[in-house]
């Protein structure tokens, strides 16, 4: 008979004795189990002991997580979290540098466990660490000169322990003094600082800004762009990543008025990071990120890609204010911009007195505004009352007219001189194009927590969005001519232009010139060829024999897809653990056993380079115990995040496995593809239908290919709608030959 479900067989280690095998009854109180273990080794005061997972994490076993213990787990008997916390609290105050260093190292490791962290924090351990940071460094300044490596390690372990303890969210960030903030900022501002200390300091500043509006103001006064630039110019990608993360955090928390910039500010390097928009618009910072990060010989890792994506999103979000601002038709300054567009296009530099009567000038303006392609010829300001794109469209048009004057004049005059109804309306096109580009770049949306989709070309120019518009408006005019479109075809042209832009962006061009050349290869003719090819690949013959053949083939294809999904689950996937406080490089791995009966999973110290073997994954979940697969906002780890805009994408990648009565194994897939693979595979294991978009796409592709292969011999043969009639029986069967 199989052992009862509540009995778990484990091995327990004790440093001063041989390990012993035990059967743990999960119905018993944990304190009773610890007492039994201690009695087995003749240890008294069992309340001073606890059990730990004997792996790299060393997490304590508690009543909350005891169900994670599986058959075959290795546990360790150790001192209780309280006793360990008391011991470390005393040791880190030792007068011996070696003893203090060893104690801080142990504290940094132990602080990852929330059970220990709670006990250490209850002893006012956070205050002790901050005091050591604020005042302890002066005490060791002399030692720093002669024992620099030791000092760096001492401070590094102190800050590491602090970061780990704060990451549990037990203590509010608002409790820290200005002196502590200044001290952490000083480590960032120093030109020569230990790498580990600098990394922890940047991480602390990022967390401070993200978790407290009050601390944001204090940090922003201590850090300047000139002090952060040297960290971007180094070769350590982790330091570069944390530096950009600090800039992003300050930018994200900056009040709206601080995000806008004053063009008359001159001292850029020493301006506080509260003037975020001004800084991000500066060529120096952008060019440093471009040359030292994006074009660095070191491949960009996922975390750096995410921070660059966040920076890109936040930069484009500066456009939201203009995008959502309606034009005031009575505002003369705004109307003057439209007059400037007209003047540049038609070179109307004559004085008003020489232009005839008011009525004549109005008639002339109306004619010119019609040539410029505005919908409202009398008062084109009305065209810019639609939001989005609001005033942003007018800004783009003016930029194009001033910085690409020849192309602007050519487009306007070329279309204004046509009388065959094939003119491309520049004004209307610019407004709709600006709106489209804002949709493509998701202007106004907060960055996703799990996205790495940055475009290098947007870091190559100080006015990248405007330049992006200038390239695309010329593309629109070119496509309009290639399609020989009229005003009735406006929406069709915009659809083609969107497809051209999206296809070119998918190729991730490294510069705006490269983007432009990619668009040159995506002419309307080429788009038609691509569409035709895709249509042929997906084309379904509608005759009944073909439909019947499709129905016959479908189960075979579905079984093939199912096997592929299960094979992918057997290979396994690395999942990232995402904290609500800040992104962390913590991973766990999950894979299906080859016999499809068990899910193996466990924590990892770092992202693996290949498959993780089953025997290194400590935890197991029998497939037979799985009750259901839950997705999206119904997942327990997503319920508190569902309403947050910035968690929308994470919500779409979340799924959970329900097992036993109310136990869950929670996942956040690295991308949509892995999400579809895992939800399909788990549903297949449960005998349920695979309904993901990825399955539908695979079904269409494989079914289309299989159909084409089976119908190769029928090429150019007309397949009848109905089967041919059965011929009449012959009048006699004399033609039959009897072999006997």
């Amino acid at each position: 008979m199989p052992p009862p479900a509540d009995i778990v067989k484990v091995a327990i280690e004790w440093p001063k004795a041989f390990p012993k095998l035990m059967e743990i009854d999960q119905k018993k109180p944990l304190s009773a189990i610890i007492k039994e273990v201690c009695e087995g080794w003749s240890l008294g005061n069992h309340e001073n002991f606890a059990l730990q997972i004997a792996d790299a994490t060393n997490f304590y076993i508690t009543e909350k997580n005891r169900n994670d213990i599986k058959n075959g787990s290795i546990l360790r008997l150790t001192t209780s979290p309280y006793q360990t916390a008391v011991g470390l609290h005393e040791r880190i105050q030792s007068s011996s540098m070696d003893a203090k260093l060893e104690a801080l190292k142990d504290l940094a490791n132990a602080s990852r466990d929330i059970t220990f962290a709670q006990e250490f924090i209850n002893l006012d351990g956070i205050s002790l660490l901050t005091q050591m940071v604020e005042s302890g460094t002066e005490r060791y300044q002399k030692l720093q000169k002669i024992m620099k490596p030791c000092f760096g390690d001492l401070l590094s372990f102190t800050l590491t322990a602090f970061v780990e303890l704060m990451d549990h969210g037990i203590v509010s960030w608002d409790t820290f003094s200005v002196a502590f903030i200044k001290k952490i900022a000083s480590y960032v501002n120093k030109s020569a600082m230990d790498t580990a200390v600098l990394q922890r300091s940047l991480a602390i500043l990022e967390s401070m800004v993200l978790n407290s509006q009050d601390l944001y103001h204090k940090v922003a006064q201590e850090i300047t762009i000139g002090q952060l630039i040297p960290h971007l110019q180094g070769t350590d990608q982790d330091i570069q990543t944390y530096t950009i993360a600090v800039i992003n955090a300050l930018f994200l928390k900056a009040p709206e008025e601080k995000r806008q910039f004053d063009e008359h500010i001159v001292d850029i390097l020493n301006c506080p990071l509260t003037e975020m928009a001004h800084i991000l618009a500066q060529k120096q910072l952008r060019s440093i990120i471009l040359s030292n990060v994006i074009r660095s010989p070191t491949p960009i890792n996922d975390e750096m890609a995410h921070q660059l994506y966040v920076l890109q999103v936040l930069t484009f979000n500066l456009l939201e204010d203009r995008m959502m601002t309606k034009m005031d038709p009575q505002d003369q300054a705004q109307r003057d911009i439209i007059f400037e567009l007209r003047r540049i296009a038609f070179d109307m530099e004559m004085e008003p007195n020489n232009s005839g009567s008011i009525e004549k000038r109005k008639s002339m303006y109306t004619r010119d505004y019609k040539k410029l392609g505005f919908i409202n010829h009398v008062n084109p300001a009305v065209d810019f009352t639609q939001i989005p794109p609001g005033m942003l469209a007018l800004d783009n048009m003016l930029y194009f007219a001033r910085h690409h004057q020849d192309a602007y004049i050519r487009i306007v005059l070329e279309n204004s001189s046509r009388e065959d109804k094939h003119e491309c309306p520049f004004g209307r096109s610019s407004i709709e194009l600006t709106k489209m580009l804002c949709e493509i770049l998701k202007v106004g949306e907060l960055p996703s927590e799990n996205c790495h989709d940055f475009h290098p070309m947007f870091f190559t120019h100080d006015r990248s969005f405007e330049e992006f518009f200038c390239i695309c408006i010329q593309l629109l005019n070119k496509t309009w001519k290639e399609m020989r479109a009229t005003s009735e075809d406006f929406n069709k042209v915009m659809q083609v232009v969107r497809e051209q832009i999206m296809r070119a962006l998918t190729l991730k061009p490294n510069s705006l010139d490269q983007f432009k050349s990619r668009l040159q290869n995506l002419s309307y003719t080429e788009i038609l060829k691509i569409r035709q090819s895709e249509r042929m690949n997906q084309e379904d013959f509608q005759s009944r024999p073909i439909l019947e053949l499709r129905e016959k083939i479908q189960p075979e294809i579905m079984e093939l897809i199912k096997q592929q999904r299960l094979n992918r689950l057997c290979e396994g996937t690395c999942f990232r653990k995402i904290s609500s406080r800040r992104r962390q490089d913590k991973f766990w791995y999950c894979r299906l056993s080859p016999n499809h009966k068990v899910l193996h999973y466990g924590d990892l110290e770092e992202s693996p380079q290949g498959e993780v073997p089953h025997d290194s994954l400590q935890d197991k979940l029998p497939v037979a115990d799985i009750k259901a697969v839950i997705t999206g906002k119904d997942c327990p780890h997503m319920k508190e995040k569902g309403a947050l805009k910035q968690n929308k994408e994470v919500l779409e990648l979340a799924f959970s496995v329900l097992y036993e009565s109310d136990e869950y194994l929670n996942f956040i897939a690295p991308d949509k593809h892995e999400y579809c693979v895992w939800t399909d595979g788990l549903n297949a294991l449960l005998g349920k239908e695979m309904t993901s978009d990825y399955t539908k796409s695979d079904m269409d592709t494989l079914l289309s290919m299989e159909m084409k292969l089976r119908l190769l011999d029928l090429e150019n043969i007309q397949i009848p709608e109905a089967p041919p009639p059965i011929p009449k029986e012959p009048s006699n069967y004399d033609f039959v030959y009897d072999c006997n």
Side-chain angles (χ1 to χ4, degrees), residues 240-297:
Q240 292 174 327
T241 302
Y242 277 100
T243 302
I244 297 177
V246 170
I247 293 174
N248 288 338
L250 287 159
F251 190 9
L252 192 62
K253 290 295 182 178
E256 197 63 39
E257 66 274 9
K258 292 294 186 181
R259 297 186 188 181
Q260 308 309 318
F261 64 91
D262 179 2
E263 294 181 0
H264 302 292
I265 295 178
V266 178
D267 192 6
I268 299 158
L269 293 181
N270 294 316
C271 81
L273 281 181
T274 48
E275 309 295 342
M276 293 307 303
H278 180 62
I279 290 162
L280 293 174
Q282 300 310 313
K283 183 176 181 180
Q284 185 174 15
L285 178 62
R286 179 193 56 75
S287 62
I288 285 172
I289 291 175
L290 180 66
S291 59
N292 292 278
V293 178
I294 296 175
R295 293 180 177 171
S296 166

Side-chain angles (χ1 to χ4, degrees), residues 448-691:
S448 162
E449 291 182 3
N450 211 36
C451 185
H452 314 126
D453 188 25
F454 80 98
H455 294 276
M457 72 177 191
F458 291 128
F459 291 85
T460 62
H461 201 282
D462 298 328
R463 304 289 292 275
S464 58
F465 184 80
E466 290 87 344
E467 288 293 325
F468 187 43
F469 168 84
C470 293
I471 293 171
C472 293
I473 193 65
Q474 294 177 73
L475 167 72
L476 192 154
N477 187 65
K478 172 175 171 285
T479 303
W480 186 283
K481 289 189 292 184
E482 291 172 349
M483 293 178 68
R484 292 190 56 78
T486 63
S487 57
E488 288 80 11
D489 301 318
F490 187 85
N491 290 333
K492 293 180 182 177
V493 175
M494 295 304 294
Q495 289 173 7
V496 173
V497 170
R498 176 186 278 270
E499 185 173 346
Q500 289 171 314
I501 294 170
M502 293 299 292
R503 288 185 183 276
L505 286 176
T506 302
L507 300 171
K508 291 289 180 73
N510 291 317
S511 66
L512 289 164
D513 287 337
Q514 199 175 94
F515 173 69
K516 193 173 182 178
S517 65
R518 296 270 167 82
L519 289 176
Q520 293 292 334
N521 297 329
L522 287 170
S523 63
Y524 176 58
T525 305
E526 185 63 26
I527 291 293
L528 285 179
K529 289 180 181 177
I530 293 172
R531 286 181 173 181
Q532 180 67 18
S533 174
E534 291 177 349
R535 193 177 300 116
M536 289 178 65
N537 289 336
Q538 298 174 1
E539 194 172 66
D540 293 330
F541 297 107
Q542 297 303 315
S543 63
R544 196 171 72 182
I546 300 299
L547 293 176
E548 290 176 356
L549 180 60
R550 283 176 59 87
E551 290 178 6
K552 182 179 179 180
I553 295 173
Q554 267 186 329
E556 301 175 20
I557 302 297
M558 187 57 75
E559 183 62 27
L560 185 64
I561 295 172
K562 175 183 174 182
Q563 291 303 318
Q564 188 273 340
R565 298 293 191 271
L566 294 177
N567 288 340
R568 277 289 294 107
L569 263 61
C570 290
E571 292 173 10
T573 301
C574 178
F575 297 93
R576 182 189 292 272
K577 290 186 175 182
I578 296 183
S579 166
S580 60
R581 296 174 291 282
R582 66 182 182 91
R583 288 174 62 87
Q584 303 179 65
D585 287 318
K586 294 184 178 180
F587 305 92
W588 68 287
Y589 200 89
C590 187
R591 63 181 299 182
L592 181 65
S593 62
N595 62 5
H596 301 172
K597 291 185 177 181
V598 179
L599 282 176
H600 297 263
Y601 62 96
D603 292 338
L604 300 177
E605 288 297 309
E606 57 185 6
S607 181
Q609 299 302 314
E611 290 184 15
V612 177
H614 293 95
D615 53 10
S616 65
L617 301 173
Q618 300 294 330
D619 301 309
K620 299 177 183 179
L621 172 59
V623 172
D625 292 348
I626 298 177
K627 307 298 182 185
V629 178
I630 303 167
T631 61
K633 62 182 180 181
D634 296 326
C635 297
H637 60 313
M638 288 290 113
K639 286 182 179 177
E640 70 278 7
K641 298 183 177 184
L644 298 180
K645 186 177 179 183
Q646 60 264 45
N647 288 308
K648 181 181 177 182
E649 187 165 333
V650 175
L651 200 65
E652 294 173 352
L653 299 176
F655 61 99
S656 299
V657 171
L658 170 64
Y659 61 97
E660 294 180 356
S661 56
D662 57 350
E663 297 294 326
Y664 293 90
L665 184 61
N666 298 318
F667 298 77
I668 296 178
D671 51 48
K672 190 67 176 177
H673 178 272
E674 289 295 324
Y675 171 84
C676 292
V677 166
W678 275 86
T679 52
D680 282 344
L682 292 169
N683 280 323
L685 287 172
L686 298 178
K688 296 182 179 179
E689 186 179 356
M690 298 184 293
T691 57

Side-chain angles (χ1 to χ4, degrees), residues 29-145:
L30 189 60
S31 57
I33 295 172
I34 294 172
K35 181 179 180 181
E36 183 182 339
V37 173
C38 290
E39 288 174 350
W41 275 310
S42 302
L43 299 173
N45 300 322
H46 68 274
E47 62 275 3
N48 292 334
F49 292 91
L51 291 174
Q52 279 182 332
I53 300 289
D55 59 10
T57 63
N58 291 328
F59 285 171
Y60 281 99
I61 302 297
T62 65
E63 291 291 351
K64 290 183 179 179
N65 65 14
R66 62 182 297 175
N67 289 327
D68 292 340
I69 303 174
K70 306 298 179 184
N71 279 316
S73 296
I74 301 176
L75 308 182
R76 179 186 299 116
L77 184 66
T78 185
T79 54
S80 68
Y82 173 75
Q83 292 294 330
T84 305
V86 170
L88 285 173
H89 193 275
E90 294 174 358
R91 288 170 57 202
I92 62 175
Q93 300 179 72
S94 170
S95 57
S96 166
M97 283 290 290
D98 290 337
K100 182 188 286 285
L101 182 62
E102 195 63 31
L104 286 168
K105 185 177 180 180
D106 291 342
L107 177 62
N109 290 327
S111 296
R112 291 178 296 176
D113 186 294
I114 190 170
T115 310
F116 167 83
Q118 185 68 69
E119 296 292 349
F120 189 78
I121 290 169
N122 290 342
L123 296 172
D124 213 13
I126 292 283
S127 297
L128 177 59
L129 291 178
T130 55
Q131 288 169 15
M132 290 172 64
V133 172
E134 289 174 22
S135 59
T137 50
E138 282 82 356
R139 191 183 307 164
Y140 300 115
Q141 276 184 348
K142 293 181 180 179
L143 287 171
Q144 183 181 2
K145 295 177 182 178

Side-chain angles (χ1 to χ4, degrees), residues 158-190:
T158 304
L159 296 179
T160 300
F162 177 83
V163 170
E164 294 290 352
L165 290 168
M166 291 303 299
D167 270 349
H168 295 297
I170 300 169
V171 178
S172 170
W173 284 90
D174 289 308
T175 58
F176 299 108
S177 66
V178 174
F180 180 71
I181 297 169
K182 286 180 178 291
K183 184 62 68 174
I184 296 298
S186 71
Y187 300 144
V188 173
N189 294 338
K190 286 180 182 176

Side-chain angles (χ1 to χ4, degrees), residues 22-36:
M22 278 192 67
E23 290 187 353
I24 291 179
D25 186 351
Q26 292 285 40
K27 291 181 179 179
K28 280 186 178 181
L30 189 60
S31 57
I33 295 172
I34 294 172
K35 181 179 180 181
E36 183 182 339

Side-chain angles (χ1 to χ4, degrees), residues 316-327 384 386-399 430-431 433-435 437-439 443 463 465-466 469:
F316 283 138
N317 280 357
L318 294 172
L319 305 169
E320 184 181 13
D321 183 58
R322 295 293 284 173
M323 180 181 78
M324 301 306 292
T325 300
K326 292 182 179 181
M327 185 172 186
F384 298 98
Q386 173 194 352
I387 55 170
M391 288 295 292
L392 184 59
L394 187 58
D395 295 342
N396 284 339
M397 294 168 70
L398 184 62
Y399 181 90
S430 297
I431 292 169
L433 179 63
T434 301
K435 182 180 179 181
L437 297 183
C438 289
E439 291 172 356
V443 174
R463 304 289 292 275
F465 184 80
E466 290 87 344
F469 168 84

